[in-house]
Every structure is written in C-alpha cells, then in structure tokens.
Amino acid sequence: MQKIIILDFGSQTTQLIGRRVRELDTFCEILPYNKYPEDDSDVIGVILSGSPLSCYADDAFHVDLSNIRGRLPILGICYGAQYMSHIYGGKVESAGTREYGRQNLQFVDKECPLFNGFDDNSQVWMSHGDSITKVPEGAQVVASTETVENAAYYIPNAGGPNGTPIFGTQFHPEVFHSLQGTLLLKNFVVDVCGSKQEWSADAFVETTVKEMREMIGNDRVILGLSGGVDSSVVAVLLNKAIGKQLTCIFVDHGMLRKNEFTDVMKDYECLGLNVIGVDASEKFLGDLAGVREPEKKRKIIGRDFVEVFDAEAKRIIAESKDGESEVKWLAQGTIYPDRIESLNITGKVIKSHHNVGGLPEEMHLSLCEPLKWLFKDEVRRVGRSMGMPEHLITRHPFPGPGLAVRILGDITREKVRVLQDADDIFIRGLREFKTKVSGEEARRVLQAGIPADMKDGEIEVSLYDQIWQAGAILLSDVRSVGVMGDERTYENPVALRAVTSSDAMTADWAHLPYEFMAKVSNDIINKVKGVNRVCYDISSKPPATIEWE
C-alpha cells in the first residue's frame, strides 16, 4: 500500500500533518526523525515536520537524508525546510523576534508544482523564531510574504538531472489558518508523489473485516466497552467480521452521565452486539467513600475497573473452554495517536499508551486493535461507513473515571445525582442550540466530519458539533449564598466547561452565545436541587487542563 512517511522533529502539529494527508485518501505513518524505514518500498514521499529547536543549535535534531534525496520527493515544513537549507548550502539565522500568525503570500510562483492552483495573496500561518536567509544550492524562491522573503523554495531535480524534487515552506500548510494548505499538500501528495488515493473508510472496513476474520478464525474475543466513539466502532467492526464470537462488557461505575448506562445498552442492542452490562456502582462508590485526593480517586477507579472487568472476563473465558470456540483475544479501541512515539524537546520518547491498561497478564489473551492506524476523525468516518447512528459517532470524549473527576472533593451518590442533572441540561442544550458558521469555523466543522450542508457560504450546526468536549463540574467543597423565594440558600456552584480542539493536546475555551448561556444557567438553577450558582470556565489549555482533576 502506498504511503507517505512523516518524520517528526517534535512539532505540536505533526499529527495534524498526518490527518491532512489521510484526508487526501492517502495512508501515512508518523515516525521519529531518526527512524526512517530504509527497506519500505511502499513509500512514495517524505515530509519533514516542524520543531521547537533551531537547526543550527548544538541540541538540534539531525537526520541523514542521503538515501532519500533524489530518490523520493521531500517536503520540509518550517524546521524541515530550515534543516534542509542548513545542510544543503543555504543559511538559517535567528529572526530576532518570533514570526507568528497570519500572513499573505505577496509573491507565489504558480508554475511551481507545489503552488499549482493557488490564489493571489493566499493566507498562510507562520510560527517560527528562525528565518531562511539563503536558500539551498540549486533552489529557487517560489513564495514570499511582506516580512519573509524566502517563504518557500523549490529544488526541481535534487541529487542530479533525474532526481526528485525538494520543497521547503516556512509556513505551516497543515493548520486551518493556511487557507489553501490542503491544496498545497494535495499538490505534493497526489500530483508530485503520485498517490492513487486508495485509503478510504470503505476500503478500510472491507480490508479490516477480512484481516480480522483471518486472524481470529474460530476464536472468541472480549471487548471492554465505554460508550465512547472508539470502543463502539471497534465493536461494530468486529461484529461485522466475527458476529457472536465477540462478547462486549460494559461496566457501570456509577459515575456515568444521566441515564447513560441504560441508553448506551439500548444503542448497543439495536446494533446487534452481544453485550453484557455490569452494574458495579455500589462497589465503586463504596470504595470511593471519603476519598478527596484526585489522583487517589483515579487509582481506585482504575483498580476497581480492572477487578470487575477481570472477574467478568474470567467467567466468560471459563465458559468458553466448554464450548467449540475459546476466548483467545482481548480487543481494544486503541487509535493511532495513542501509539505514535511522540517527542518532547529533549528528543526522548514520551509515551506508548493503550486504552485498557493494567489488565492482569495471567488472562493470557492476545491483543486485537483494529483501529490502531486511525486518527479520531477517521474512526468517525469508519463508523458512518458502517451505518452507525450519528449520536454515537459524534459523541464527545468522556474521561474514564467519569464524573468522579468533575466532582471536587469526596464522592457521594447525592453529589453524582446533582452533577448528572446539571450536566444533562448543559449537554442537551448544546445539542439543541444551533448557529450558523462560515469561513474557518465552517471549514473546521466540515473537516471534522460533521454532516452539514453549505448554503451561501454558511452551515447550520449545533453548538455540540462545534466543540471538542463539554461538561459540568460540581464545586462540592464550596457553598454559595443565594436567594430563592424569600429565603437565603447555601448551596453548591456548578462550573460549565466547553472547549474547541483538534486533538486535546491544546484547547481553547468555546465562545458560547450569551443567549444560550443565560438559558442554561437559568434552567440549571431552577431545575437542579442543590445548585444556586453557575459559572463558565474561560481557561485555555495550556496552562489549564480540560478536566478539573
């Protein structure tokens, strides 16, 4: 299968490059800058990402491109462009001040394959502290802004007369603010590298179903469901491949959203899944009684989940040994961002994460991860390809510990009830309130896969579909004075949180309409016993996190 390799030099937007390439129906892999697969004949092009470092610094990341240059097309973005300029006879120097934000291309060479079809004065996004003051040997400048003369360069035949091209851009085509960034990447991936654009949701489903049938055979599979997008899509995909050989376990720890356990169980049954629902709320709430420290709450919930899931799984495994088909696989909703070897500015690998951590090794089950190559938006496309209901596909991320990390202080059933009621009003309100958006906001919504029809440059979508994640937080350690009727009240405040994001690495608080905020606040205070004040969290990540605990 054709693929683009993206070499990661530690940029925060590397995953975004990958998602943009996948949107062009082209497979790609993100690898650390020093782990290029020399023996992979499926590679048709290479992209070098940005980096927080300076290419001329002592601690700069260096990569040997000698086996790539002249053999495969290369596109360097920001640091990638600077690095190639630095090693191929150009010059990179400190810009003095950081060049950050929107700029327009005052000059663009539309004869350059990278800029085919570009508009005059196309808007791009800059984010760098160094500038290319001299382009590499054999390169020609193909784009400039008012302040960045060498905004892009082009070497037509790198490595000799029959060599492949090299491109470098100081700006970031992968971000939404570069309005023709997708066109630039298409020009590189499709026109220059020759992608056949065969990577699609339908093709993924067809190929993966076949692979799962061959891999699993007559064995049985256990899957822990959370109600979230990833595990739900895995369940439907595996059900399509192996049917009743799949057994799903959905654990209710007592801190799900209002009516969520019942509603999600109905959804799963309607999808034809073989699901076992386990109400373990008494155990979880009992073990959490009196515990106030956030990390301790998380550890108790994680431990209890493993115990409950393990007990149910062992029962299923034991029963399977008496039948024709034995449980040999544990399925997980692991997606590609969970597996990417991310780099921090020291160059060390940060994480290698799996969704269901800490399950006992003595279960002796092999891992089955059908979504391990997909980004979140691709998971949603696969769900739609299989005909899953939209409310399951567009569901916001929800923390594993549930509302426990949205109740500040100790957990009680009454506090959970109060927060569930407030949260339900907030989330239902977001789903029901629709607004018209255009420009960059509309592009962001549509590229996230939200179904909407463009009319006169606008789309109408719910607030829920415009944001990444939302929820209510109960400030249960705070008493707020209020007046209801002729009496003073001393009850809890509730904070509302809604953020926009593309991957949860960074997030901005959502600018919700005043009309909506007024109605939601009024409904919560009037309808939720125990709440007399509503606040809105206007913190971005960083420095704040999305969750409060």
Side-chain angles (χ1 to χ4, degrees), residues 291-471:
V291 178
R292 302 174 58 83
E293 204 274 316
E295 192 58 27
K296 191 172 181 181
K297 286 194 285 186
R298 286 181 175 272
K299 288 181 178 178
I300 289 172
I301 293 169
R303 180 202 68 199
D304 282 5
F305 174 81
V306 169
E307 290 177 1
V308 172
F309 185 91
D310 182 44
E312 195 64 34
K314 284 180 176 176
R315 181 185 65 79
I316 297 168
I317 293 169
E319 290 176 355
S320 77
K321 291 180 179 179
D322 297 328
E324 298 179 358
S325 179
E326 188 174 337
V327 174
K328 292 185 179 179
W329 299 89
L330 173 66
Q332 294 185 172
T334 310
I335 63 175
Y336 194 37
D338 298 330
R339 302 169 52 245
I340 295 172
E341 291 184 274
S342 303
L343 298 174
N344 63 14
I345 59 173
T346 66
K348 297 178 181 178
V349 174
I350 295 175
K351 68 182 176 77
S352 177
H353 168 74
H354 287 300
N355 291 352
V356 185
L359 290 176
E361 292 184 5
E362 61 267 22
M363 289 175 71
H364 300 300
L365 300 179
S366 299
L367 271 182
C368 173
E369 300 173 308
L371 307 182
K372 65 183 180 181
W373 289 109
L374 300 187
F375 289 98
K376 177 72 77 173
D377 45 353
E378 292 178 305
V379 174
R380 292 190 167 107
R381 289 192 194 101
V382 167
R384 290 190 181 97
S385 174
M386 296 188 296
M388 291 177 62
E390 197 65 28
H391 68 271
L392 276 180
I393 295 170
T394 58
R395 188 174 187 263
H396 287 173
F398 188 64
L403 300 180
V405 293
R406 295 179 180 176
I407 296 174
L408 307 193
D410 63 325
I411 312 294
T412 67
R413 192 172 287 278
E414 174 60 14
K415 289 180 181 179
V416 172
R417 192 274 308 165
V418 170
L419 185 53
Q420 283 178 333
D421 288 348
D423 179 82
D424 184 58
I425 290 171
F426 184 35
I427 298 300
R428 281 193 293 107
L430 289 170
R431 288 189 181 278
E432 293 167 2
F433 197 99
K434 295 189 175 184
T435 64
K436 292 182 178 180
V437 296
S438 60
E440 291 178 15
E441 290 182 346
R443 290 173 62 242
R444 186 181 295 111
V445 171
L446 292 172
Q447 288 189 308
I450 303 300
D453 294 324
M454 180 80 75
K455 186 176 181 181
D456 297 328
E458 290 183 327
I459 58 173
E460 186 175 59
V461 290
S462 70
L463 291 176
Y464 187 90
D465 286 337
Q466 295 176 49
I467 61 181
W468 171 267
Q469 191 170 348

Side-chain angles (χ1 to χ4, degrees), residues 84-86 88-92 132-142 149-155:
M84 289 192 292
S85 181
H86 178 66
Y88 293 140
K91 192 171 184 180
V92 178
I132 299 170
T133 53
K134 179 185 176 184
V135 296
E137 291 182 5
Q140 54 197 62
V141 177
V142 289
E149 180 182 356
N150 302 319
Y153 62 78
Y154 170 39
I155 305 176

Side-chain angles (χ1 to χ4, degrees), residues 85-320:
S85 181
H86 178 66
I87 63 173
Y88 293 140
K91 192 171 184 180
V92 178
E93 299 177 283
S94 172
T97 59
R98 187 167 182 80
E99 295 171 333
Y100 180 84
R102 296 175 179 85
Q103 292 199 33
N104 294 88
L105 298 179
Q106 292 191 338
F107 160 71
V108 59
D109 181 356
K110 298 178 186 179
E111 297 299 315
C112 171
L114 200 64
F115 292 99
N116 183 35
F118 256 59
D119 298 332
D120 293 334
N121 296 310
S122 184
Q123 177 182 293
V124 295
W125 183 263
M126 297 285 186
S127 180
H128 55 264
D130 294 329
S131 287
I132 299 170
T133 53
K134 179 185 176 184
V135 296
E137 291 182 5
Q140 54 197 62
V141 177
V142 289
S144 304
T145 70
E146 183 179 0
T147 58
V148 181
E149 180 182 356
N150 302 319
Y153 62 78
Y154 170 39
I155 305 176
N157 301 106
N162 297 317
T164 53
I166 284 178
F167 305 92
T169 68
Q170 275 277 200
F171 58 88
H172 289 266
E174 71 273 22
V175 303
F176 288 106
H177 305 299
S178 291
L179 298 184
Q180 292 187 286
T182 298
L183 174 60
L184 184 148
L185 291 172
K186 177 180 179 294
N187 288 340
F188 177 73
V189 171
V190 179
D191 297 341
V192 174
C193 298
S195 169
K196 297 177 183 177
Q197 296 186 283
E198 297 174 332
W199 174 263
S200 66
D202 289 346
F204 175 85
V205 171
E206 181 181 350
T207 302
T208 305
V209 165
K210 182 180 178 182
E211 289 176 352
M212 292 298 106
R213 283 175 181 160
E214 292 175 353
M215 183 178 79
I216 295 167
N218 293 322
D219 299 336
R220 290 180 61 188
V221 181
I222 294 175
L223 168 64
L225 287 173
S226 67
V229 179
D230 302 334
S231 66
S232 298
V233 171
V234 168
V236 175
L237 188 61
L238 284 174
N239 186 57
K240 192 177 181 70
I242 61 173
K244 296 302 180 182
Q245 291 169 242
L246 172 69
T247 301
C248 304
I249 301 172
F250 183 27
V251 177
D252 180 9
H253 52 37
M255 290 155 288
L256 298 172
R257 283 183 155 138
K258 187 174 183 177
N259 301 324
E260 186 169 27
F261 184 67
T262 303
D263 292 345
V264 172
M265 283 295 292
K266 287 179 181 176
D267 282 332
Y268 286 151
E269 288 167 6
C270 290
L271 289 169
L273 301 179
N274 178 23
V275 185
I276 297 171
V278 182
D279 183 356
S281 56
E282 291 295 335
K283 173 179 175 57
F284 281 87
L285 291 170
D287 290 349
L288 286 167
V291 178
R292 302 174 58 83
E293 204 274 316
E295 192 58 27
K296 191 172 181 181
K297 286 194 285 186
R298 286 181 175 272
K299 288 181 178 178
I300 289 172
I301 293 169
R303 180 202 68 199
D304 282 5
F305 174 81
V306 169
E307 290 177 1
V308 172
F309 185 91
D310 182 44
E312 195 64 34
K314 284 180 176 176
R315 181 185 65 79
I316 297 168
I317 293 169
E319 290 176 355
S320 77

